[in-house]
Amino acid sequence: MWQFLSKIKSWWYLVKQLTQVEIVGLYKKSFLGMAWMFILPILAVVIWVVLNGAGVVNPGETDIPYPAYVLLSTSIWGFFLEAYKSTSNLLTKNGRMLIMSEVPFEPLLMQKVVVHLINFIIPFVVNIIVLLAFGVRFSTVALLFPFSLFPLLLLGMATGMVVAIFRIIMVDIANLVDEGMKLLMFLTPIVYTPKITTSWLQTIVEYNPLTYLIGFSRDLLTSGTFYMPVQYAVFTFVSLLLFIVAFRFLMKSSPIVLERLINN
Amino acid sequence: MKVTLSLIKKQTMPELILEVQDLSKKFCRRLKRSLYYGITDVARQTLGLSPQLELRPEEFWAVNNVSFEVIAGDIIAVIGANGSGKTTLMRMIAGIYQSNSGKIRYRQGLKVTPIFALNVGLRNEFTGLENIKLKASIFGMTEQELKEKLDFIIDFSELEYALKTPVGNYSSGMRARLSYSVAIATEPDLFIIDEALAVGDSLFKAKCYEHLGEYVKERERAVLYVTNRIRKVMALANRVIVMRKGEIIRDSPDAGEALEFYINDIVGDNMTDNLKEMKLEKIRHFEM
């Protein structure tokens, strides 16, 4: 861990530069520029309001208005998914840099985390405004919300770090996990509530760690309550453990797989 | 033999910059088999088993039992036909590839800057100045170091007039000037250049040769560069390493002699007599 922190410290200017390039570069050719960071979450809300109004979706009973529920849940899910996506593409997307220069993977991993947090925070502020507009009121406990997301970040990155290796040497596994993530969204109470009645889905939801990791953060923010705290604590510990193992796996395996990045 | 990277103590051997001992690296010819070996190697490592050092089917030694030393003041041209292992050797010295066996010993605190492709990290939609910052960070410079070196980079690259232009509108020569100037500003003790001076205008290249010659004299520094161009070897090198099939077959302080050997014994068979004679004449009567 000290080695990781020391590498981040010595390559901090690279982390800063790459973060700036990625954030600014995304909107550099757009006339609306960084306004897209606000437009996209607003569009997401509009879509769910329209779908709900048309009666297309039947989510089950929710404590807060359905569009607000979905907006918040998808936002937290997106936090997990983006952590996975950006980490799992770490070696392939930066392959040329990794095999043509001395840059190690650690600052690139750190940069992905920083970009991920920035990309999450701005739309999330919009979401909070929308939630207020829907009549959701926040208690002081809601201030713990950012910390409650930490296990999701660890779990997303842990899965991503393992898949990053497979994306080079066994792309079939990477493709399967990518597709599995789409399925996982529907097996997690995001667009519906955990109080669903379908028995087989109920069983999957009960064993799905994301039910507790996402539900805990969501309830913390919207009602100031702790959703299934024991399960949340257990899966937080499991996520931390997986992160440590996956980081070690990436660190040890990346030299073996990087030389096989022949498309760079 | 397990790969080890160790340090040469500066106090005892001040002139020795780098020592390569029995270095080997293997690759696989077939893509799918290479990926399969990747899976087994990762699995072996995860299970704590030692790596397989012997050649497996379709594998070959890209670098085979290579040993040499780099002394301060050396400007070494590494020449050899395509696939002779030049780039693989450079990447191992730069710490990008892990070797399968052998040792690389670096002088204590040695700063190495490798350039394998000048365009790495450049972003077309960003300006020249923004790309200087980006490139400097890729070469490991800090913000403060860049601040101190920015004027040098702009002067050396001769790109002051184009600093606000997107790099996408730069010619290949301008890109090379930008990247090379940032690389040299890192002031490495060992500068590794792999075909990076193949592009760019001839005046800028001449300036680089002159600069590198002066550069190694200033302090205890050395340059390792990969090329197959007679002019670049004759103009710059004070030592030439010739590689064939992953092995060093000549290490000579006489650039002309090494080049003649290379043309007569290695690539000559693939040339017409006229072309071969023309190249030998170019070496014998080389003028800057």
Side-chain angles (χ1 to χ4, degrees):
Chain A
M1 186 45 101
W2 287 118
Q3 202 186 347
F4 173 73
L5 292 174
S6 125
K7 276 195 180 168
I8 297 300
K9 194 183 164 199
S10 55
W11 288 90
W12 183 249
Y13 189 48
L14 177 68
V15 175
K16 192 177 155 186
Q17 281 300 313
L18 289 177
T19 302
Q20 206 171 324
V21 161
E22 190 162 338
I23 298 285
V24 177
L26 209 58
Y27 306 103
K28 191 133 184 155
K29 289 178 189 167
S30 151
F31 287 110
L32 293 175
M34 295 182 80
W36 278 108
M37 286 186 127
F38 296 90
I39 295 168
L40 290 175
I42 291 169
L43 281 177
V45 180
V46 171
I47 290 167
W48 285 110
V49 169
V50 170
L51 286 176
N52 188 45
V56 177
V57 283
N58 180 19
E61 195 185 323
T62 56
D63 298 331
I64 56 173
Y66 178 63
Y69 176 87
V70 172
L71 181 71
L72 184 57
S73 304
T74 49
S75 179
I76 300 172
W77 164 259
F79 181 79
F80 165 76
L81 187 67
E82 280 308 313
Y84 161 75
K85 273 188 184 171
S86 54
T87 316
S88 75
N89 287 308
L90 181 75
L91 301 181
T92 37
K93 283 212 169 152
N94 296 295
R96 198 168 153 75
M97 196 186 292
L98 287 164
I99 61 171
M100 295 281 188
S101 71
E102 284 185 301
V103 174
F105 78 87
E106 287 91 341
L108 302 177
L109 185 67
M110 188 67 203
Q111 181 259 342
K112 291 288 169 206
V113 174
V114 175
V115 170
H116 176 50
L117 293 177
I118 293 171
N119 279 336
F120 177 75
I121 287 167
I122 296 174
F124 193 75
V125 171
V126 177
N127 289 355
I128 293 291
I129 296 166
V130 174
L131 289 174
L132 283 168
F134 275 110
V136 177
R137 293 293 172 260
F138 305 109
S139 66
T140 46
V141 185
L143 291 171
L144 294 172
F145 174 77
F147 305 102
S148 74
L149 294 174
F150 195 58
L152 280 169
L153 179 71
L154 293 180
L155 187 61
M157 287 180 72
T159 319
M161 284 191 278
V162 174
V163 173
I165 294 294
F166 285 109
R167 209 176 281 290
I168 300 174
I169 54 172
M170 207 172 179
V171 76
D172 316 62
I173 298 259
N175 289 344
L176 276 174
V177 179
D178 287 350
E179 292 306 309
M181 284 290 168
K182 290 175 194 166
L183 179 66
L184 188 60
M185 179 178 167
F186 295 102
L187 299 177
T188 308
I190 292 164
V191 293
Y192 55 85
T193 73
K195 300 165 193 163
I196 43 157
T197 50
T198 319
S199 63
W200 63 269
L201 186 57
Q202 180 70 50
T203 311
I204 293 173
V205 164
E206 269 177 28
Y207 286 101
N208 182 353
L210 292 171
T211 302
Y212 308 102
L213 297 181
I214 292 177
F216 186 88
S217 298
R218 183 176 50 214
D219 283 10
L220 194 67
L221 190 67
T222 56
S223 60
T225 56
F226 302 112
Y227 176 74
M228 304 271 190
V230 177
Q231 287 88 333
Y232 175 80
V234 168
F235 286 119
T236 297
F237 179 71
V238 171
S239 302
L240 178 65
L241 214 60
L242 286 175
F243 178 84
I244 293 167
V245 171
F247 181 77
R248 196 168 163 74
F249 177 69
L250 178 68
M251 194 175 71
K252 292 276 179 191
S253 306
S254 59
I256 297 173
V257 300
L258 274 173
E259 63 191 44
R260 291 172 167 87
L261 257 176
I262 58 162
N263 55 342
N264 283 280
Chain B
M1 189 193 297
K2 198 165 161 49
V3 177
T4 52
L5 299 179
S6 49
L7 300 171
I8 299 165
K9 284 189 179 162
K10 202 171 177 177
Q11 303 91 306
T12 52
M13 302 176 79
E15 77 286 0
L16 192 61
I17 282 193
L18 181 84
E19 191 180 0
V20 174
Q21 279 180 350
D22 307 319
L23 203 65
S24 295
K25 176 76 189 167
K26 58 180 178 171
F27 284 130
C28 182
R29 287 189 182 88
R30 306 264 174 198
L31 173 64
K32 286 205 173 158
R33 202 176 270 271
S34 167
L35 297 178
Y36 169 71
Y37 290 152
I39 296 165
T40 55
D41 290 348
V42 166
R44 287 183 76 88
Q45 176 147 275
T46 309
L47 297 171
L49 301 171
S50 55
Q52 282 184 295
L53 294 179
E54 68 281 7
L55 288 183
R56 293 167 286 192
E58 298 291 349
E59 281 189 329
F60 65 97
W61 292 111
V63 169
N64 192 6
N65 251 350
V66 163
S67 300
F68 68 100
E69 289 177 352
V70 178
I71 309 292
D74 272 348
I75 304 180
I76 305 174
V78 182
I79 63 174
N82 290 340
S84 57
K86 308 181 295 284
T87 297
T88 305
L89 177 61
M90 294 303 119
R91 285 188 181 169
M92 283 194 286
I93 292 172
I96 295 168
Y97 281 171
Q98 266 185 354
S99 53
N100 292 108
S101 62
K103 284 182 185 175
I104 304 174
R105 299 171 73 216
Y106 301 92
R107 190 182 73 195
Q108 211 159 21
L110 188 82
K111 187 175 177 184
V112 182
T113 295
I115 340 179
F116 291 100
L118 287 168
N119 283 339
V120 169
L122 291 183
R123 292 287 297 253
N124 285 342
E125 67 274 35
F126 286 81
T127 65
L129 186 60
E130 287 167 331
N131 271 289
I132 286 176
K133 291 178 185 172
L134 184 58
K135 200 72 190 175
S137 68
I138 290 170
F139 281 125
M141 287 174 90
T142 63
E143 199 163 5
Q144 185 57 35
E145 281 168 346
L146 177 64
K147 216 177 256 180
E148 288 162 14
K149 297 283 175 187
L150 190 59
D151 288 341
F152 167 82
I153 294 168
I154 295 170
D155 282 350
F156 196 85
S157 65
E158 301 164 19
L159 285 171
E160 193 169 5
Y161 67 96
L163 285 180
K164 289 180 180 168
T165 307
V167 159
N169 293 341
Y170 276 27
S171 66
S172 59
M174 289 164 81
R175 286 158 171 264
R177 269 150 59 185
L178 184 147
S179 300
Y180 184 80
S181 305
V182 180
I184 200 78
T186 60
E187 294 196 355
D189 301 311
L190 177 63
F191 199 11
I192 298 174
I193 309 169
D194 188 343
E195 298 284 3
L197 283 174
V199 287
D201 54 81
S202 51
L203 273 177
F204 185 72
K205 277 191 245 181
K207 180 178 166 177
C208 293
Y209 298 153
E210 195 183 334
H211 180 265
L212 284 175
E214 292 301 315
Y215 184 77
V216 292
K217 284 181 201 158
E218 278 174 25
R219 274 191 251 161
E220 291 189 337
R221 291 164 167 161
V223 176
L224 262 171
Y225 70 108
V226 170
T227 187
N228 275 338
R229 294 178 185 230
I230 291 170
R231 188 175 168 76
K232 273 167 64 181
V233 176
M234 294 300 291
L236 196 57
N238 56 24
R239 186 176 154 197
V240 177
I241 286 176
V242 185
M243 289 189 76
R244 183 172 60 187
K245 292 183 180 171
E247 292 177 1
I248 290 180
I249 53 164
R250 199 76 149 200
D251 186 344
S252 170
D254 183 343
E257 183 269 332
L259 273 171
E260 282 199 38
F261 167 78
Y262 173 66
I263 287 168
N264 281 323
D265 291 39
I266 302 186
V267 289
D269 291 346
N270 300 324
M271 290 178 184
T272 60
D273 286 345
N274 273 350
L275 181 63
K276 190 171 162 181
E277 200 47 45
M278 205 173 78
K279 286 192 179 283
L280 290 172
E281 281 300 304
K282 195 174 172 182
I283 297 164
R284 286 168 195 150
H285 305 290
F286 178 78
E287 279 177 29
M288 280 290 280

